Amino acid sequence: MSETLENLLQETRQFPPPEALAANANVTAAAYDEAAADRLGFWEQQAKRLSWAKPWDEVLDWSNSPFAKWFVGGELNVAYNCLDRHLAEGRGDKVAIHWEGEPGDTRTITYADLHKSVCQASNALTNLGVQAGDRVAIYMPMIPEAAVAMLACARIGATHSVVFGGFSVDALSGRIQDASAKVVITADGGYRRGNPSALKPTVDEAVAQCPTIEHVLVVRRTGQEVSWTDKDVWWHEVVDAADPHHEAQPFDSEHPLFILYTSGTTAKPKGILHTTGGYLTQVSYTHHAVFDLKPDTDVYWCTADIGWVTGHSYIVYGPLSNGATQIMYEGTPDTPHKGRFWELVEKYKVTIIYTAPTLIRTMMKWGDDIPAKFDLSSLRLLGSVGEPINPEAWIWYRQNIGRGECPVVDTWWQTETGGIMISPLPGVTAAKPGSAMSPLPGISADVVDDTATSVPNGGGGYLVLREPWPSMLRTIWGDDERFIDTYWSRFEGMYFAGDGAKRDADGHIWLLGRVDDVMLVSGHNISTTEVESALVSHPSVAEAAVVGATDPTTGQAIVAFVILRGTVEGGDGLVKDLRNHVAKTLGPIAKPRQIMLVPELPKTRSGKIMRRLLRDVAENRSLGDVTTLQDSAVMDLISSGMQGSKADED
Ligand code: 6R9
């Protein structure tokens, strides 16, 4: 990307917080002032929301940057903070998790129940020879035992590495080997799309390539037949029989809590390392601040999988440290019907939901009539994470899920940042649809140009973080050099996130997608996000992905892949209409050369659009690696459609 990113999309709608929410908000505008006046003092205040066995001597040691130490010398136990503390305060009978299996089986788990299971699992892991500092791989469906396994590791100081339950043998064995894990915790399988989906065979194959694994701890979920080796032990035999008493030992604030791998598209996955005190401080505070959680009355639901950072920070550690009551759902949103999510909101009277733009756009495609069938009146706050949310999807979410009343918080962060960094505060911010708005109190985010100079309002460039933050990654597991090269070498003294962003006329931040995806059309840098948002603002469009394809006259030309809303019919007339709509919304420079109407888009398993594959299609190349794709058949569908279409030039 050269100097700046073009700033094409204008959005003037703005939605102030509901008065009642603002009047009772957990966090008010004063937090911005306090943090601005004394950033470290502010984070110290937030750390005090937790229970520490030993206080820290120093808030931040940045002398060996970019290797940070937060709350230096302090000691705490993460599981104690998520469980024992609530029991000690008389909240043992409060529901921690309303779990719903895909087939409709349910479990209600109180904080006392969860504490007991975690203590038993801690003792069982200790009996299997796991000690503080050892690594444990977790490869599980979305069942309560996944959270129990993570918390048990945290409790005994073992570092967990959760691997998404849909990943392949190679992905699992590569991650086990990289971290030299000693134990894998898994299940026979889980339910997905109405059927049991096996996990154990993948683990068996992976473990055969991983000599460091001493034991495999297996939860029985589906009852599928499994083959058994002498390393395997059943969870119901060793955990359920274990002593329910376990004294949590405090660990150093910088003790490694977990490794989570981010899969770049081609390179070897990076093992992002998070530690104890700073991580818990920030995820706990941001969950309290951004979701305005009232633990006594709210029913919170984050729809992410535990295999992603969102599941770590906003299913397990943030909500449980705050004593939340939450929903955990095993399956897919369309099983057995497309209203399953809204049925669950109605059933459990969910008040706060946190989901991804991909899901919101899928719901738009399925049609407004589906959520309209359910009573969603319990909802009071809606969150979004994972990709830029197009303004029209934001509005759809607020109108159709939030009755036109609920604030929407668009939260920007990454596996590497550990917790939310840029987001509205629901009781303070008058949010604009499509904007993550402002850095949270205590966070120094900026948008800079090529020379690391802040861009003025109205300009676009690179999103950077200028100051360290408590839940920042500490390194890439086993590769400090790569940590420095990847994140700290593009701009001197700053963390570069890899995302493009712009600042609007009021200084609010808009995420514009990965800088690798930025298109260069006749000398203009155009963000994929803005063109996609312009397409989604057409009433016929539910979802869009755009890429820059090599073009003899303009350098790159914009090629768009579009999914229509439920009942809309495609055709040449519509395609022409869409191209004109983009030109009208963003200017002629952004008019797509070509628009393909497609039934699906290629997405990663966490729901992010894989533009790389679409670029291959648009440039008629053979497809690269598709193993991280959610559904590889999608690409065949798109490629075959593409061959039949001619470049549709003006
Ligand atoms: C939490 C998570 C991180 C990347 C990030 C950015 C994109 C996430 C976003 C967003 C625009 C938001 N991203 N949230 N883009 N607006 N609210 O998703 O972590 O899986 O590591 O992905 O996701 O591109 O850099 P992770």
Short mmCIF file of all heavy atoms in Angstrom, two decimals, residues 534-584:
data_model
loop_
_atom_site.label_atom_id
_atom_site.label_comp_id
_atom_site.label_asym_id
_atom_site.label_seq_id
_atom_site.Cartn_x
_atom_site.Cartn_y
_atom_site.Cartn_z
N ALA A 534 -20.51 -1.25 0.07
CA ALA A 534 -21.38 -0.58 -0.92
C ALA A 534 -22.30 -1.61 -1.57
O ALA A 534 -23.50 -1.37 -1.76
CB ALA A 534 -20.53 0.11 -1.97
N LEU A 535 -21.77 -2.79 -1.86
CA LEU A 535 -22.61 -3.83 -2.46
C LEU A 535 -23.69 -4.28 -1.48
O LEU A 535 -24.85 -4.43 -1.85
CB LEU A 535 -21.74 -5.02 -2.91
CG LEU A 535 -20.94 -4.77 -4.19
CD1 LEU A 535 -19.79 -5.76 -4.33
CD2 LEU A 535 -21.85 -4.83 -5.42
N VAL A 536 -23.30 -4.49 -0.22
CA VAL A 536 -24.27 -4.97 0.77
C VAL A 536 -25.34 -3.90 1.04
O VAL A 536 -26.43 -4.22 1.51
CB VAL A 536 -23.55 -5.43 2.06
CG1 VAL A 536 -24.53 -5.82 3.15
CG2 VAL A 536 -22.62 -6.61 1.76
N SER A 537 -25.04 -2.65 0.72
CA SER A 537 -26.06 -1.61 0.94
C SER A 537 -27.15 -1.64 -0.14
O SER A 537 -28.13 -0.92 -0.05
CB SER A 537 -25.41 -0.22 1.00
OG SER A 537 -25.04 0.22 -0.29
N HIS A 538 -26.97 -2.47 -1.17
CA HIS A 538 -28.03 -2.66 -2.17
C HIS A 538 -29.06 -3.64 -1.60
O HIS A 538 -28.68 -4.67 -1.05
CB HIS A 538 -27.43 -3.20 -3.47
CG HIS A 538 -28.40 -3.21 -4.61
ND1 HIS A 538 -29.36 -4.17 -4.74
CD2 HIS A 538 -28.56 -2.37 -5.66
CE1 HIS A 538 -30.08 -3.93 -5.82
NE2 HIS A 538 -29.61 -2.83 -6.40
N PRO A 539 -30.35 -3.32 -1.72
CA PRO A 539 -31.35 -4.17 -1.06
C PRO A 539 -31.38 -5.63 -1.52
O PRO A 539 -31.92 -6.48 -0.81
CB PRO A 539 -32.68 -3.48 -1.39
CG PRO A 539 -32.38 -2.44 -2.41
CD PRO A 539 -30.94 -2.12 -2.33
N SER A 540 -30.76 -5.95 -2.66
CA SER A 540 -30.78 -7.34 -3.12
C SER A 540 -29.63 -8.18 -2.57
O SER A 540 -29.60 -9.38 -2.77
CB SER A 540 -30.68 -7.38 -4.65
OG SER A 540 -31.73 -6.66 -5.21
N VAL A 541 -28.65 -7.53 -1.93
CA VAL A 541 -27.41 -8.23 -1.60
C VAL A 541 -27.34 -8.58 -0.11
O VAL A 541 -27.60 -7.74 0.74
CB VAL A 541 -26.19 -7.37 -2.01
CG1 VAL A 541 -24.89 -8.03 -1.58
CG2 VAL A 541 -26.20 -7.13 -3.51
N ALA A 542 -26.96 -9.83 0.17
CA ALA A 542 -26.75 -10.24 1.56
C ALA A 542 -25.27 -10.20 1.91
O ALA A 542 -24.89 -9.84 3.01
CB ALA A 542 -27.28 -11.65 1.78
N GLU A 543 -24.42 -10.60 0.98
CA GLU A 543 -23.01 -10.73 1.30
C GLU A 543 -22.19 -10.51 0.04
O GLU A 543 -22.63 -10.84 -1.07
CB GLU A 543 -22.77 -12.13 1.86
CG GLU A 543 -21.35 -12.42 2.23
CD GLU A 543 -21.22 -13.34 3.43
OE1 GLU A 543 -22.07 -14.23 3.60
OE2 GLU A 543 -20.27 -13.16 4.20
N ALA A 544 -20.98 -9.95 0.22
CA ALA A 544 -20.14 -9.69 -0.95
C ALA A 544 -18.68 -9.84 -0.57
O ALA A 544 -18.29 -9.55 0.56
CB ALA A 544 -20.39 -8.28 -1.48
N ALA A 545 -17.87 -10.30 -1.53
CA ALA A 545 -16.42 -10.34 -1.34
C ALA A 545 -15.81 -9.76 -2.60
O ALA A 545 -16.20 -10.16 -3.71
CB ALA A 545 -15.95 -11.77 -1.13
N VAL A 546 -14.87 -8.85 -2.45
CA VAL A 546 -14.24 -8.31 -3.65
C VAL A 546 -12.74 -8.53 -3.58
O VAL A 546 -12.14 -8.59 -2.51
CB VAL A 546 -14.55 -6.81 -3.89
CG1 VAL A 546 -16.02 -6.52 -3.80
CG2 VAL A 546 -13.77 -5.93 -2.96
N VAL A 547 -12.14 -8.66 -4.76
CA VAL A 547 -10.68 -8.84 -4.87
C VAL A 547 -10.19 -8.00 -6.04
O VAL A 547 -10.95 -7.63 -6.93
CB VAL A 547 -10.30 -10.32 -5.12
CG1 VAL A 547 -10.74 -11.19 -3.95
CG2 VAL A 547 -10.89 -10.85 -6.42
N GLY A 548 -8.89 -7.73 -6.01
CA GLY A 548 -8.25 -7.05 -7.13
C GLY A 548 -7.62 -8.10 -8.03
O GLY A 548 -6.81 -8.90 -7.58
N ALA A 549 -8.03 -8.11 -9.31
CA ALA A 549 -7.44 -9.05 -10.27
C ALA A 549 -6.61 -8.26 -11.27
O ALA A 549 -7.00 -7.13 -11.64
CB ALA A 549 -8.55 -9.80 -11.00
N THR A 550 -5.48 -8.83 -11.68
CA THR A 550 -4.61 -8.15 -12.62
C THR A 550 -5.39 -7.68 -13.85
O THR A 550 -6.20 -8.43 -14.39
CB THR A 550 -3.50 -9.12 -13.08
OG1 THR A 550 -2.97 -9.69 -11.91
CG2 THR A 550 -2.41 -8.40 -13.85
N ASP A 551 -5.13 -6.45 -14.24
CA ASP A 551 -5.86 -5.89 -15.37
C ASP A 551 -4.89 -5.10 -16.24
O ASP A 551 -4.10 -4.31 -15.74
CB ASP A 551 -6.96 -4.95 -14.84
CG ASP A 551 -7.85 -4.44 -15.96
OD1 ASP A 551 -7.49 -3.41 -16.57
OD2 ASP A 551 -8.87 -5.09 -16.24
N PRO A 552 -4.94 -5.32 -17.57
CA PRO A 552 -3.96 -4.69 -18.46
C PRO A 552 -4.03 -3.17 -18.46
O PRO A 552 -3.02 -2.51 -18.65
CB PRO A 552 -4.32 -5.25 -19.85
CG PRO A 552 -5.67 -5.86 -19.72
CD PRO A 552 -5.86 -6.23 -18.29
N THR A 553 -5.19 -2.60 -18.22
CA THR A 553 -5.24 -1.13 -18.29
C THR A 553 -5.17 -0.45 -16.93
O THR A 553 -4.56 0.60 -16.80
CB THR A 553 -6.51 -0.65 -19.02
OG1 THR A 553 -7.62 -1.39 -18.53
CG2 THR A 553 -6.39 -0.84 -20.51
N THR A 554 -5.76 -1.04 -15.91
CA THR A 554 -5.82 -0.32 -14.63
C THR A 554 -4.87 -0.89 -13.57
O THR A 554 -4.89 -0.43 -12.43
CB THR A 554 -7.26 -0.37 -14.07
OG1 THR A 554 -7.64 -1.74 -13.94
CG2 THR A 554 -8.23 0.36 -14.96
N GLY A 555 -4.03 -1.85 -13.94
CA GLY A 555 -3.15 -2.46 -12.93
C GLY A 555 -3.89 -3.59 -12.25
O GLY A 555 -3.64 -4.77 -12.46
N GLN A 556 -4.85 -3.21 -11.41
CA GLN A 556 -5.79 -4.20 -10.88
C GLN A 556 -7.20 -3.71 -11.18
O GLN A 556 -7.43 -2.51 -11.28
CB GLN A 556 -5.62 -4.35 -9.37
CG GLN A 556 -4.45 -5.25 -8.98
CD GLN A 556 -4.45 -5.54 -7.49
OE1 GLN A 556 -4.72 -4.67 -6.68
NE2 GLN A 556 -4.14 -6.77 -7.12
N ALA A 557 -8.10 -4.67 -11.31
CA ALA A 557 -9.50 -4.30 -11.49
C ALA A 557 -10.30 -5.01 -10.41
O ALA A 557 -9.90 -6.07 -9.91
CB ALA A 557 -9.98 -4.74 -12.87
N ILE A 558 -11.41 -4.42 -10.07
CA ILE A 558 -12.22 -4.97 -8.97
C ILE A 558 -13.15 -6.06 -9.49
O ILE A 558 -13.91 -5.85 -10.43
CB ILE A 558 -13.04 -3.84 -8.31
CG1 ILE A 558 -12.07 -2.78 -7.75
CG2 ILE A 558 -13.96 -4.39 -7.23
CD1 ILE A 558 -12.76 -1.55 -7.19
N VAL A 559 -13.04 -7.23 -8.90
CA VAL A 559 -13.94 -8.33 -9.23
C VAL A 559 -14.73 -8.66 -7.96
O VAL A 559 -14.13 -8.83 -6.89
CB VAL A 559 -13.15 -9.57 -9.71
CG1 VAL A 559 -14.10 -10.74 -9.97
CG2 VAL A 559 -12.35 -9.24 -10.96
N ALA A 560 -16.04 -8.70 -8.08
CA ALA A 560 -16.88 -8.92 -6.90
C ALA A 560 -17.64 -10.23 -7.00
O ALA A 560 -18.09 -10.62 -8.07
CB ALA A 560 -17.86 -7.76 -6.75
N PHE A 561 -17.75 -10.89 -5.88
CA PHE A 561 -18.54 -12.12 -5.75
C PHE A 561 -19.68 -11.79 -4.79
O PHE A 561 -19.44 -11.32 -3.68
CB PHE A 561 -17.67 -13.25 -5.19
CG PHE A 561 -16.50 -13.60 -6.08
CD1 PHE A 561 -15.34 -12.82 -6.06
CD2 PHE A 561 -16.56 -14.68 -6.93
CE1 PHE A 561 -14.26 -13.13 -6.88
CE2 PHE A 561 -15.48 -15.00 -7.76
CZ PHE A 561 -14.33 -14.23 -7.73
N VAL A 562 -20.91 -12.03 -5.23
CA VAL A 562 -22.06 -11.52 -4.49
C VAL A 562 -23.07 -12.63 -4.20
O VAL A 562 -23.40 -13.41 -5.09
CB VAL A 562 -22.72 -10.38 -5.30
CG1 VAL A 562 -24.09 -10.03 -4.75
CG2 VAL A 562 -21.82 -9.14 -5.32
N ILE A 563 -23.54 -12.66 -2.97
CA ILE A 563 -24.65 -13.55 -2.60
C ILE A 563 -25.90 -12.70 -2.43
O ILE A 563 -25.88 -11.69 -1.73
CB ILE A 563 -24.36 -14.28 -1.27
CG1 ILE A 563 -23.08 -15.13 -1.37
CG2 ILE A 563 -25.55 -15.15 -0.86
CD1 ILE A 563 -22.76 -15.88 -0.09
N LEU A 564 -26.97 -13.12 -3.09
CA LEU A 564 -28.21 -12.34 -3.02
C LEU A 564 -29.03 -12.72 -1.80
O LEU A 564 -28.89 -13.80 -1.24
CB LEU A 564 -29.03 -12.59 -4.29
CG LEU A 564 -28.34 -12.17 -5.59
CD1 LEU A 564 -29.22 -12.51 -6.79
CD2 LEU A 564 -27.99 -10.69 -5.58
N ARG A 565 -29.91 -11.82 -1.41
CA ARG A 565 -30.83 -12.11 -0.31
C ARG A 565 -31.86 -13.14 -0.75
O ARG A 565 -32.16 -13.25 -1.96
CB ARG A 565 -31.57 -10.84 0.10
CG ARG A 565 -30.64 -9.84 0.73
CD ARG A 565 -31.40 -9.07 1.80
NE ARG A 565 -30.71 -7.84 2.13
CZ ARG A 565 -31.07 -7.07 3.16
NH1 ARG A 565 -32.09 -7.41 3.92
NH2 ARG A 565 -30.41 -5.97 3.42
N GLY A 566 -32.43 -13.82 0.24
CA GLY A 566 -33.33 -14.96 0.05
C GLY A 566 -34.14 -15.04 -1.23
O GLY A 566 -33.93 -15.95 -2.04
N THR A 567 -35.01 -14.09 -1.47
CA THR A 567 -36.00 -14.27 -2.54
C THR A 567 -35.62 -13.58 -3.84
O THR A 567 -36.34 -13.66 -4.83
CB THR A 567 -37.35 -13.71 -2.08
OG1 THR A 567 -37.10 -12.38 -1.58
CG2 THR A 567 -37.96 -14.55 -0.98
N VAL A 568 -34.46 -12.91 -3.85
CA VAL A 568 -34.10 -12.10 -5.03
C VAL A 568 -33.65 -12.97 -6.20
O VAL A 568 -32.93 -13.94 -6.02
CB VAL A 568 -32.97 -11.11 -4.65
CG1 VAL A 568 -32.53 -10.30 -5.87
CG2 VAL A 568 -33.39 -10.21 -3.51
N GLU A 569 -34.10 -12.60 -7.43
CA GLU A 569 -33.68 -13.30 -8.65
C GLU A 569 -32.48 -12.58 -9.26
O GLU A 569 -32.47 -11.35 -9.33
CB GLU A 569 -34.83 -13.26 -9.67
CG GLU A 569 -36.04 -14.10 -9.30
CD GLU A 569 -35.81 -15.59 -9.48
OE1 GLU A 569 -35.02 -15.94 -10.38
OE2 GLU A 569 -36.41 -16.38 -8.73
N GLY A 570 -31.50 -13.36 -9.73
CA GLY A 570 -30.33 -12.73 -10.36
C GLY A 570 -30.61 -12.39 -11.82
O GLY A 570 -31.75 -12.40 -12.27
N GLY A 571 -29.55 -12.05 -12.57
CA GLY A 571 -29.73 -11.73 -13.99
C GLY A 571 -28.83 -10.58 -14.38
O GLY A 571 -28.30 -9.88 -13.52
N ASP A 572 -28.66 -10.39 -15.72
CA ASP A 572 -27.76 -9.36 -16.21
C ASP A 572 -28.18 -7.97 -15.76
O ASP A 572 -27.35 -7.11 -15.47
CB ASP A 572 -27.71 -9.38 -17.75
CG ASP A 572 -26.95 -10.61 -18.23
OD1 ASP A 572 -26.34 -11.29 -17.38
OD2 ASP A 572 -27.00 -10.89 -19.45
N GLY A 573 -29.49 -7.77 -15.71
CA GLY A 573 -30.00 -6.46 -15.30
C GLY A 573 -29.55 -6.12 -13.88
O GLY A 573 -29.10 -5.01 -13.60
N LEU A 574 -29.64 -7.11 -13.01
CA LEU A 574 -29.26 -6.88 -11.62
C LEU A 574 -27.76 -6.60 -11.52
O LEU A 574 -27.33 -5.70 -10.79
CB LEU A 574 -29.64 -8.09 -10.75
CG LEU A 574 -29.26 -7.96 -9.27
CD1 LEU A 574 -29.99 -6.79 -8.61
CD2 LEU A 574 -29.55 -9.24 -8.50
N VAL A 575 -26.96 -7.38 -12.25
CA VAL A 575 -25.51 -7.18 -12.21
C VAL A 575 -25.15 -5.76 -12.62
O VAL A 575 -24.36 -5.07 -11.96
CB VAL A 575 -24.79 -8.22 -13.09
CG1 VAL A 575 -23.34 -7.83 -13.32
CG2 VAL A 575 -24.89 -9.61 -12.46
N LYS A 576 -25.78 -5.29 -13.67
CA LYS A 576 -25.52 -3.94 -14.14
C LYS A 576 -25.93 -2.92 -13.07
O LYS A 576 -25.20 -1.97 -12.77
CB LYS A 576 -26.34 -3.72 -15.42
CG LYS A 576 -26.02 -2.45 -16.13
CD LYS A 576 -26.45 -2.49 -17.59
CE LYS A 576 -26.12 -1.14 -18.20
NZ LYS A 576 -27.25 -0.54 -18.89
N ASP A 577 -27.07 -3.19 -12.49
CA ASP A 577 -27.59 -2.34 -11.43
C ASP A 577 -26.61 -2.26 -10.25
O ASP A 577 -26.35 -1.19 -9.69
CB ASP A 577 -28.88 -3.03 -10.96
CG ASP A 577 -29.88 -2.05 -10.46
OD1 ASP A 577 -29.88 -0.93 -10.99
OD2 ASP A 577 -30.65 -2.41 -9.53
N LEU A 578 -26.05 -3.40 -9.88
CA LEU A 578 -25.12 -3.45 -8.75
C LEU A 578 -23.85 -2.66 -9.05
O LEU A 578 -23.34 -1.94 -8.20
CB LEU A 578 -24.77 -4.91 -8.40
CG LEU A 578 -25.90 -5.77 -7.83
CD1 LEU A 578 -25.42 -7.20 -7.59
CD2 LEU A 578 -26.43 -5.18 -6.54
N ARG A 579 -23.35 -2.82 -10.28
CA ARG A 579 -22.12 -2.09 -10.65
C ARG A 579 -22.38 -0.59 -10.59
O ARG A 579 -21.57 0.17 -10.06
CB ARG A 579 -21.66 -2.52 -12.04
CG ARG A 579 -21.21 -3.99 -12.09
CD ARG A 579 -20.78 -4.42 -13.48
NE ARG A 579 -19.61 -3.67 -13.91
CZ ARG A 579 -19.49 -3.04 -15.07
NH1 ARG A 579 -20.48 -3.07 -15.95
NH2 ARG A 579 -18.40 -2.39 -15.37
N ASN A 580 -23.53 -0.17 -11.09
CA ASN A 580 -23.86 1.25 -11.05
C ASN A 580 -24.07 1.73 -9.61
O ASN A 580 -23.72 2.85 -9.26
CB ASN A 580 -25.10 1.54 -11.89
CG ASN A 580 -24.79 1.37 -13.36
OD1 ASN A 580 -23.64 1.54 -13.78
ND2 ASN A 580 -25.79 1.03 -14.15
N HIS A 581 -24.63 0.86 -8.82
CA HIS A 581 -24.87 1.22 -7.41
C HIS A 581 -23.54 1.51 -6.70
O HIS A 581 -23.42 2.47 -5.95
CB HIS A 581 -25.62 0.07 -6.73
CG HIS A 581 -25.85 0.28 -5.27
ND1 HIS A 581 -26.77 1.16 -4.76
CD2 HIS A 581 -25.23 -0.27 -4.18
CE1 HIS A 581 -26.73 1.14 -3.44
NE2 HIS A 581 -25.80 0.27 -3.07
N VAL A 582 -22.54 0.68 -6.96
CA VAL A 582 -21.22 0.91 -6.34
C VAL A 582 -20.63 2.22 -6.85
O VAL A 582 -20.12 3.04 -6.07
CB VAL A 582 -20.25 -0.26 -6.63
CG1 VAL A 582 -18.86 0.05 -6.08
CG2 VAL A 582 -20.77 -1.56 -6.03
N ALA A 583 -20.73 2.44 -8.17
CA ALA A 583 -20.17 3.67 -8.74
C ALA A 583 -20.85 4.90 -8.13
O ALA A 583 -20.20 5.90 -7.83
CB ALA A 583 -20.34 3.67 -10.25
N LYS A 584 -22.16 4.77 -7.91
CA LYS A 584 -22.89 5.90 -7.35
C LYS A 584 -22.52 6.11 -5.87
O LYS A 584 -22.38 7.24 -5.40
CB LYS A 584 -24.39 5.61 -7.47
CG LYS A 584 -25.23 6.86 -7.51
CD LYS A 584 -26.68 6.55 -7.90
CE LYS A 584 -27.59 7.01 -6.80
NZ LYS A 584 -28.52 6.04 -6.30
#
